[in-house]
Amino acid sequence: MAYWSELPPELLTLIAKCLETQFDVLRFRSICRSWRSSFPPKLYPLPKRLPSSKKTKAGCRFSLNQITIATLFLVRLPPATENRSNQTEPSCWLIKISDGKPLNPLTDSGLNANLPKVLDLINCQVIELGHGYVGRYSVHINYRFRGLYRNYIEKVEILRLSPDGDDFMVVGLFSHGVEYFALLKSGENEWTVLENMHGIQDIITSNNKFYAIEQSGGTIIVDQFFSVGFIQHAVGSPTNRKFLVESSGNLLIVEMIFLENSESNAGFRIFKLDEENQKWDEIKSLGDQILILGLHQVVSVSAYEFHWGDQGNLIFYSIDGNVEDRVMYVFDLEKGISIPLENCPVYCNLFWPLPVWLNSSESVVSSSMEATPGTEFANLGICEDVGSSFSSS
Protein backbone atom coordinates (compact mmCIF):
# COMPACT_ATOMS: atom_id res chain seq x y z
CA MET A 1 0.00 0.00 0.00
CA ALA A 2 1.37 3.42 -0.96
CA TYR A 3 1.46 6.15 1.67
CA TRP A 4 1.41 9.35 -0.37
CA SER A 5 2.16 11.49 2.66
CA GLU A 6 5.51 9.72 3.09
CA LEU A 7 6.96 10.50 -0.33
CA PRO A 8 10.44 12.10 0.01
CA PRO A 9 10.48 15.93 -0.16
CA GLU A 10 12.90 15.99 -3.10
CA LEU A 11 10.47 13.88 -5.18
CA LEU A 12 7.54 16.13 -4.23
CA THR A 13 9.54 19.18 -5.32
CA LEU A 14 10.28 17.60 -8.71
CA ILE A 15 6.59 16.82 -9.20
CA ALA A 16 5.45 20.28 -8.15
CA LYS A 17 7.87 22.01 -10.55
CA CYS A 18 6.11 20.23 -13.44
CA LEU A 19 2.77 21.82 -12.57
CA GLU A 20 1.99 24.66 -14.94
CA THR A 21 -1.05 26.40 -13.43
CA GLN A 22 -1.81 27.93 -10.06
CA PHE A 23 -4.85 25.72 -9.71
CA ASP A 24 -2.80 22.54 -10.24
CA VAL A 25 -0.45 23.72 -7.47
CA LEU A 26 -3.47 24.41 -5.28
CA ARG A 27 -4.73 20.85 -5.69
CA PHE A 28 -1.23 19.45 -5.14
CA ARG A 29 -0.92 21.38 -1.85
CA SER A 30 -4.37 20.22 -0.76
CA ILE A 31 -3.40 16.52 -0.56
CA CYS A 32 -1.92 16.60 2.94
CA ARG A 33 0.26 18.68 5.26
CA SER A 34 3.56 17.23 4.05
CA TRP A 35 2.69 18.00 0.42
CA ARG A 36 1.55 21.49 1.34
CA SER A 37 4.78 22.26 3.19
CA SER A 38 6.96 20.84 0.39
CA PHE A 39 6.14 23.54 -2.15
CA PRO A 40 5.05 27.19 -1.82
CA PRO A 41 2.00 28.65 -3.56
CA LYS A 42 2.67 29.49 -7.19
CA LEU A 43 1.88 33.19 -7.03
CA TYR A 44 3.03 35.77 -9.52
CA PRO A 45 2.02 39.21 -8.17
CA LEU A 46 0.79 41.54 -10.86
CA PRO A 47 2.93 44.61 -11.58
CA LYS A 48 1.81 47.77 -9.77
CA ARG A 49 2.69 51.48 -9.79
CA LEU A 50 3.98 51.47 -13.34
CA PRO A 51 5.43 54.77 -14.58
CA SER A 52 3.68 57.03 -17.08
CA SER A 53 5.14 57.29 -20.55
CA LYS A 54 6.96 60.28 -21.91
CA LYS A 55 5.05 62.51 -24.29
CA THR A 56 4.64 61.02 -27.73
CA LYS A 57 5.07 62.98 -30.93
CA ALA A 58 1.32 63.59 -30.87
CA GLY A 59 1.61 65.23 -27.44
CA CYS A 60 0.00 62.37 -25.48
CA ARG A 61 1.12 60.87 -22.19
CA PHE A 62 -0.10 57.36 -21.36
CA SER A 63 -0.48 55.46 -18.09
CA LEU A 64 -1.23 51.81 -17.38
CA ASN A 65 -3.04 52.20 -14.06
CA GLN A 66 -4.12 48.65 -13.25
CA ILE A 67 -3.65 45.11 -14.53
CA THR A 68 -6.28 42.44 -13.90
CA ILE A 69 -5.91 38.72 -14.55
CA ALA A 70 -8.81 36.87 -16.18
CA THR A 71 -8.78 33.07 -15.97
CA LEU A 72 -10.95 30.60 -17.90
CA PHE A 73 -12.03 27.49 -15.99
CA LEU A 74 -13.77 24.29 -17.05
CA VAL A 75 -15.96 22.73 -14.35
CA ARG A 76 -17.01 19.18 -15.18
CA LEU A 77 -18.33 15.96 -13.72
CA PRO A 78 -15.81 13.12 -13.38
CA PRO A 79 -16.39 10.38 -16.01
CA ALA A 80 -17.88 7.93 -13.47
CA THR A 81 -20.34 10.54 -12.19
CA GLU A 82 -21.12 11.69 -15.73
CA ASN A 83 -22.20 8.18 -16.73
CA ARG A 84 -24.71 8.09 -13.86
CA SER A 85 -26.02 11.63 -14.39
CA ASN A 86 -29.04 12.78 -16.38
CA GLN A 87 -27.92 12.52 -20.00
CA THR A 88 -29.98 15.59 -20.93
CA GLU A 89 -27.88 17.72 -18.58
CA PRO A 90 -24.50 19.08 -19.73
CA SER A 91 -21.55 17.51 -17.96
CA CYS A 92 -19.27 20.53 -18.51
CA TRP A 93 -19.52 24.24 -17.82
CA LEU A 94 -17.21 27.14 -18.68
CA ILE A 95 -16.70 30.19 -16.49
CA LYS A 96 -14.35 33.15 -16.54
CA ILE A 97 -13.13 34.70 -13.28
CA SER A 98 -11.84 38.28 -13.44
CA ASP A 99 -11.15 40.43 -10.40
CA GLY A 100 -13.11 37.91 -8.30
CA LYS A 101 -16.20 38.21 -10.52
CA PRO A 102 -17.76 35.33 -12.52
CA LEU A 103 -18.23 36.24 -16.20
CA ASN A 104 -19.46 34.70 -19.42
CA PRO A 105 -16.25 33.64 -21.28
CA LEU A 106 -17.48 34.93 -24.66
CA THR A 107 -19.22 38.20 -23.78
CA ASP A 108 -17.71 39.25 -20.41
CA SER A 109 -21.27 39.80 -19.13
CA GLY A 110 -21.76 39.16 -15.43
CA LEU A 111 -23.41 35.93 -14.31
CA ASN A 112 -26.40 36.75 -12.14
CA ALA A 113 -27.13 33.16 -11.21
CA ASN A 114 -27.30 31.89 -7.65
CA LEU A 115 -23.79 30.44 -7.79
CA PRO A 116 -22.73 27.97 -5.10
CA LYS A 117 -20.38 29.38 -2.48
CA VAL A 118 -18.23 26.27 -2.36
CA LEU A 119 -17.29 23.57 -4.86
CA ASP A 120 -16.63 20.04 -3.68
CA LEU A 121 -13.52 18.99 -5.60
CA ILE A 122 -14.15 15.32 -4.82
CA ASN A 123 -17.37 15.28 -6.82
CA CYS A 124 -16.44 17.67 -9.62
CA GLN A 125 -13.30 18.63 -11.50
CA VAL A 126 -12.04 22.17 -12.05
CA ILE A 127 -9.48 22.69 -14.82
CA GLU A 128 -7.71 25.94 -15.63
CA LEU A 129 -7.78 26.32 -19.42
CA GLY A 130 -5.88 29.59 -19.74
CA HIS A 131 -5.57 33.15 -18.56
CA GLY A 132 -4.99 36.63 -19.92
CA TYR A 133 -4.37 40.16 -18.69
CA VAL A 134 -6.49 43.27 -19.14
CA GLY A 135 -5.21 46.78 -18.45
CA ARG A 136 -6.99 49.96 -17.43
CA TYR A 137 -5.24 52.72 -19.33
CA SER A 138 -5.49 56.49 -19.30
CA VAL A 139 -4.20 59.01 -21.79
CA HIS A 140 -3.55 62.69 -21.17
CA ILE A 141 -3.88 64.79 -24.30
CA ASN A 142 -2.02 68.06 -24.07
CA TYR A 143 -4.03 70.77 -25.80
CA ARG A 144 -2.96 74.41 -25.98
CA PHE A 145 -5.19 75.74 -23.21
CA ARG A 146 -6.17 72.65 -21.24
CA GLY A 147 -5.48 68.96 -20.92
CA LEU A 148 -7.98 66.21 -21.66
CA TYR A 149 -8.09 62.74 -20.14
CA ARG A 150 -9.51 59.55 -21.60
CA ASN A 151 -9.72 56.12 -19.96
CA TYR A 152 -9.91 52.85 -21.87
CA ILE A 153 -9.51 49.08 -21.40
CA GLU A 154 -7.13 47.06 -23.56
CA LYS A 155 -5.15 43.86 -23.48
CA VAL A 156 -1.80 43.52 -21.68
CA GLU A 157 0.84 40.82 -22.01
CA ILE A 158 3.37 39.83 -19.33
CA LEU A 159 6.53 37.79 -19.92
CA ARG A 160 8.09 36.26 -16.79
CA LEU A 161 11.88 36.32 -17.03
CA SER A 162 12.68 34.43 -13.81
CA PRO A 163 11.19 31.37 -12.08
CA ASP A 164 10.01 33.41 -9.09
CA GLY A 165 8.33 35.97 -11.34
CA ASP A 166 10.23 38.94 -9.87
CA ASP A 167 11.78 39.78 -13.25
CA PHE A 168 9.27 40.46 -16.00
CA MET A 169 8.42 42.47 -19.09
CA VAL A 170 5.08 44.14 -19.77
CA VAL A 171 3.68 45.01 -23.19
CA GLY A 172 0.84 47.51 -23.41
CA LEU A 173 -1.11 49.07 -26.24
CA PHE A 174 -1.13 52.88 -26.08
CA SER A 175 -3.84 54.19 -28.34
CA HIS A 176 -5.26 57.58 -29.23
CA GLY A 177 -5.82 57.83 -32.96
CA VAL A 178 -2.33 56.33 -33.38
CA GLU A 179 -1.20 52.93 -32.07
CA TYR A 180 1.89 52.68 -29.85
CA PHE A 181 3.47 49.36 -28.91
CA ALA A 182 4.92 49.99 -25.42
CA LEU A 183 7.35 47.81 -23.46
CA LEU A 184 8.54 48.04 -19.86
CA LYS A 185 11.04 45.82 -18.04
CA SER A 186 10.88 45.38 -14.26
CA GLY A 187 13.13 47.85 -12.44
CA GLU A 188 13.02 50.40 -15.23
CA ASN A 189 11.35 53.81 -14.95
CA GLU A 190 10.64 54.52 -18.61
CA TRP A 191 8.55 52.79 -21.24
CA THR A 192 10.12 51.91 -24.56
CA VAL A 193 7.55 53.06 -27.10
CA LEU A 194 7.56 51.76 -30.66
CA GLU A 195 5.77 54.20 -32.94
CA ASN A 196 4.44 53.89 -36.47
CA MET A 197 2.49 50.74 -35.70
CA HIS A 198 -0.54 50.26 -37.91
CA GLY A 199 -3.67 49.17 -36.07
CA ILE A 200 -2.43 46.44 -33.72
CA GLN A 201 -5.28 43.98 -33.30
CA ASP A 202 -3.81 41.46 -30.85
CA ILE A 203 -0.69 40.66 -28.83
CA ILE A 204 0.59 37.44 -27.27
CA THR A 205 3.67 35.93 -25.59
CA SER A 206 5.10 32.79 -27.18
CA ASN A 207 8.55 31.17 -26.96
CA ASN A 208 9.76 33.98 -24.65
CA LYS A 209 8.88 36.62 -27.24
CA PHE A 210 6.09 39.10 -27.82
CA TYR A 211 4.10 38.85 -31.03
CA ALA A 212 1.70 41.49 -32.36
CA ILE A 213 -0.54 41.29 -35.41
CA GLU A 214 -1.35 44.47 -37.32
CA GLN A 215 -4.56 45.26 -39.14
CA SER A 216 -2.63 45.00 -42.41
CA GLY A 217 -1.66 41.41 -41.55
CA GLY A 218 1.98 42.14 -40.73
CA THR A 219 3.60 40.61 -37.65
CA ILE A 220 5.86 42.34 -35.13
CA ILE A 221 8.21 40.27 -32.93
CA VAL A 222 10.02 41.64 -29.86
CA ASP A 223 12.35 39.60 -27.64
CA GLN A 224 13.38 40.23 -24.03
CA PHE A 225 16.36 42.30 -25.20
CA PHE A 226 14.04 44.73 -27.06
CA SER A 227 15.23 43.44 -30.43
CA VAL A 228 12.44 44.08 -32.95
CA GLY A 229 11.75 41.87 -35.95
CA PHE A 230 9.02 41.68 -38.59
CA ILE A 231 7.35 39.00 -40.67
CA GLN A 232 6.70 40.87 -43.89
CA HIS A 233 4.39 38.19 -45.25
CA ALA A 234 0.97 39.82 -44.69
CA VAL A 235 -1.91 37.59 -43.65
CA GLY A 236 -5.53 38.04 -44.67
CA SER A 237 -7.41 41.21 -45.49
CA PRO A 238 -7.05 44.60 -43.70
CA THR A 239 -10.85 44.68 -43.31
CA ASN A 240 -10.96 41.51 -41.20
CA ARG A 241 -10.42 41.04 -37.46
CA LYS A 242 -7.38 39.00 -36.41
CA PHE A 243 -6.52 37.14 -33.19
CA LEU A 244 -3.40 35.37 -31.91
CA VAL A 245 -3.52 32.11 -29.94
CA GLU A 246 -1.26 29.20 -29.02
CA SER A 247 -2.76 25.83 -29.92
CA SER A 248 -1.09 22.43 -29.54
CA GLY A 249 2.32 24.07 -29.34
CA ASN A 250 1.79 26.19 -32.47
CA LEU A 251 1.21 29.92 -32.79
CA LEU A 252 -1.90 30.67 -34.85
CA ILE A 253 -3.55 33.68 -36.42
CA VAL A 254 -7.34 33.44 -36.46
CA GLU A 255 -8.85 35.69 -39.11
CA MET A 256 -12.52 36.55 -38.60
CA ILE A 257 -14.25 37.42 -41.88
CA PHE A 258 -17.48 39.37 -41.57
CA LEU A 259 -20.01 38.22 -44.16
CA GLU A 260 -23.02 40.05 -45.52
CA ASN A 261 -26.05 38.51 -47.24
CA SER A 262 -25.08 35.09 -45.98
CA GLU A 263 -26.63 32.53 -43.64
CA SER A 264 -23.34 32.61 -41.70
CA ASN A 265 -22.57 36.03 -40.23
CA ALA A 266 -18.85 35.27 -40.12
CA GLY A 267 -16.25 32.98 -41.56
CA PHE A 268 -12.78 32.07 -40.32
CA ARG A 269 -9.35 31.32 -41.75
CA ILE A 270 -6.52 29.86 -39.66
CA PHE A 271 -2.79 30.42 -40.24
CA LYS A 272 0.09 28.62 -38.48
CA LEU A 273 3.50 30.21 -37.94
CA ASP A 274 6.43 28.63 -39.74
CA GLU A 275 9.08 30.17 -37.50
CA GLU A 276 12.04 28.74 -39.38
CA ASN A 277 10.96 30.29 -42.68
CA GLN A 278 9.34 33.35 -41.09
CA LYS A 279 5.97 32.96 -42.78
CA TRP A 280 2.38 31.98 -42.08
CA ASP A 281 0.83 28.87 -43.65
CA GLU A 282 -2.94 28.50 -43.90
CA ILE A 283 -4.36 25.35 -42.32
CA LYS A 284 -7.81 23.89 -42.92
CA SER A 285 -8.37 22.07 -39.64
CA LEU A 286 -7.77 22.51 -35.92
CA GLY A 287 -7.91 18.76 -35.33
CA ASP A 288 -9.34 18.06 -31.87
CA GLN A 289 -8.86 21.68 -30.76
CA ILE A 290 -11.65 24.14 -29.95
CA LEU A 291 -11.08 27.91 -29.90
CA ILE A 292 -12.88 30.18 -27.43
CA LEU A 293 -12.72 33.80 -28.62
CA GLY A 294 -13.33 36.15 -25.70
CA LEU A 295 -13.24 39.93 -25.88
CA HIS A 296 -9.63 40.17 -24.64
CA GLN A 297 -8.55 36.54 -24.56
CA VAL A 298 -8.41 33.55 -26.92
CA VAL A 299 -8.01 30.04 -25.51
CA SER A 300 -7.45 26.75 -27.31
CA VAL A 301 -8.67 23.56 -25.62
CA SER A 302 -8.90 19.94 -26.68
CA ALA A 303 -12.35 18.42 -27.23
CA TYR A 304 -11.20 15.56 -25.00
CA GLU A 305 -11.44 17.95 -22.03
CA PHE A 306 -15.20 18.11 -22.68
CA HIS A 307 -15.38 14.31 -23.06
CA TRP A 308 -16.23 14.79 -26.75
CA GLY A 309 -13.47 12.58 -28.10
CA ASP A 310 -11.77 14.16 -31.12
CA GLN A 311 -14.85 16.18 -32.17
CA GLY A 312 -13.14 19.57 -32.17
CA ASN A 313 -12.54 21.92 -35.09
CA LEU A 314 -14.96 24.48 -33.61
CA ILE A 315 -14.73 28.20 -32.83
CA PHE A 316 -16.97 29.84 -30.21
CA TYR A 317 -17.35 33.62 -30.47
CA SER A 318 -19.75 36.54 -30.00
CA ILE A 319 -20.49 39.68 -32.04
CA ASP A 320 -22.60 42.86 -32.11
CA GLY A 321 -24.00 45.08 -29.41
CA ASN A 322 -22.66 45.97 -26.00
CA VAL A 323 -21.44 43.44 -23.45
CA GLU A 324 -24.93 42.48 -22.27
CA ASP A 325 -26.44 42.19 -25.79
CA ARG A 326 -23.74 40.29 -27.66
CA VAL A 327 -24.95 37.18 -29.50
CA MET A 328 -22.96 33.95 -29.15
CA TYR A 329 -22.19 31.66 -32.11
CA VAL A 330 -20.32 28.50 -32.95
CA PHE A 331 -18.42 28.10 -36.23
CA ASP A 332 -17.77 24.62 -37.64
CA LEU A 333 -14.52 24.75 -39.61
CA GLU A 334 -15.20 21.46 -41.40
CA LYS A 335 -18.66 22.50 -42.61
CA GLY A 336 -17.81 26.20 -42.97
CA ILE A 337 -21.02 27.37 -41.28
CA SER A 338 -21.85 29.55 -38.28
CA ILE A 339 -24.88 28.88 -36.03
CA PRO A 340 -26.28 30.87 -33.08
CA LEU A 341 -25.58 29.03 -29.84
CA GLU A 342 -29.23 29.33 -28.83
CA ASN A 343 -30.02 26.91 -31.67
CA CYS A 344 -27.43 24.40 -30.39
CA PRO A 345 -28.36 23.37 -26.81
CA VAL A 346 -25.39 21.00 -26.51
CA TYR A 347 -22.96 23.88 -27.08
CA CYS A 348 -25.04 26.66 -25.53
CA ASN A 349 -25.18 24.83 -22.20
CA LEU A 350 -21.41 25.13 -21.94
CA PHE A 351 -21.93 28.81 -21.13
CA TRP A 352 -25.47 29.13 -19.74
CA PRO A 353 -27.48 28.28 -17.72
CA LEU A 354 -25.81 26.95 -14.60
CA PRO A 355 -26.01 23.11 -14.71
CA VAL A 356 -28.42 21.54 -12.25
CA TRP A 357 -25.71 19.25 -10.88
CA LEU A 358 -23.53 22.28 -10.09
CA ASN A 359 -26.34 24.14 -8.34
CA SER A 360 -27.59 21.19 -6.29
CA SER A 361 -26.72 20.98 -2.60
CA GLU A 362 -27.34 17.24 -2.80
CA SER A 363 -24.85 16.55 -5.59
CA VAL A 364 -21.49 18.25 -5.88
CA VAL A 365 -21.69 21.43 -3.87
CA SER A 366 -20.39 21.23 -0.34
CA SER A 367 -21.93 23.47 2.30
CA SER A 368 -18.78 23.42 4.39
CA MET A 369 -15.11 23.43 3.44
CA GLU A 370 -14.43 21.26 6.47
CA ALA A 371 -16.73 18.46 5.29
CA THR A 372 -14.88 17.72 2.04
CA PRO A 373 -11.97 19.26 0.18
CA GLY A 374 -13.54 22.28 -1.50
CA THR A 375 -12.79 25.63 -3.02
CA GLU A 376 -14.51 28.99 -2.83
CA PHE A 377 -16.38 29.52 -6.08
CA ALA A 378 -15.92 33.28 -6.27
CA ASN A 379 -12.13 33.07 -6.27
CA LEU A 380 -11.66 29.45 -7.29
CA GLY A 381 -8.92 29.37 -4.67
CA ILE A 382 -8.27 28.48 -1.07
CA CYS A 383 -7.03 31.24 1.23
CA GLU A 384 -3.67 32.56 0.11
CA ASP A 385 -3.11 30.17 -2.79
CA VAL A 386 -5.16 31.24 -5.80
CA GLY A 387 -7.60 33.73 -4.35
CA SER A 388 -4.88 36.20 -3.44
CA SER A 389 -3.53 36.14 -6.97
CA PHE A 390 -6.86 37.43 -8.26
CA SER A 391 -7.04 40.22 -5.71
CA SER A 392 -3.44 41.33 -6.11
CA SER A 393 -4.37 43.61 -8.97
Side-chain angles (χ1 to χ4, degrees), residues 101-121:
K101 300 181 181 66
L103 305 174
N104 182 301
L106 296 182
T107 67
D108 276 2
S109 58
L111 300 180
N112 297 319
N114 185 22
L115 298 174
K117 293 183 178 180
V118 175
L119 291 178
D120 180 354
L121 296 184

Side-chain angles (χ1 to χ4, degrees), residues 314-358:
L314 302 172
I315 301 175
F316 293 103
Y317 66 100
S318 67
I319 60 171
D320 296 331
N322 57 39
V323 168
E324 299 298 332
D325 298 329
R326 293 181 70 87
V327 181
M328 299 184 294
Y329 294 86
V330 58
F331 183 82
D332 188 316
L333 270 171
E334 182 178 354
K335 298 178 180 178
I337 58 173
S338 177
I339 304 173
L341 278 189
E342 62 183 5
N343 297 338
C344 306
V346 174
Y347 297 144
C348 186
N349 289 335
L350 281 173
F351 304 92
W352 191 257
L354 187 70
V356 172
W357 53 264
L358 187 56

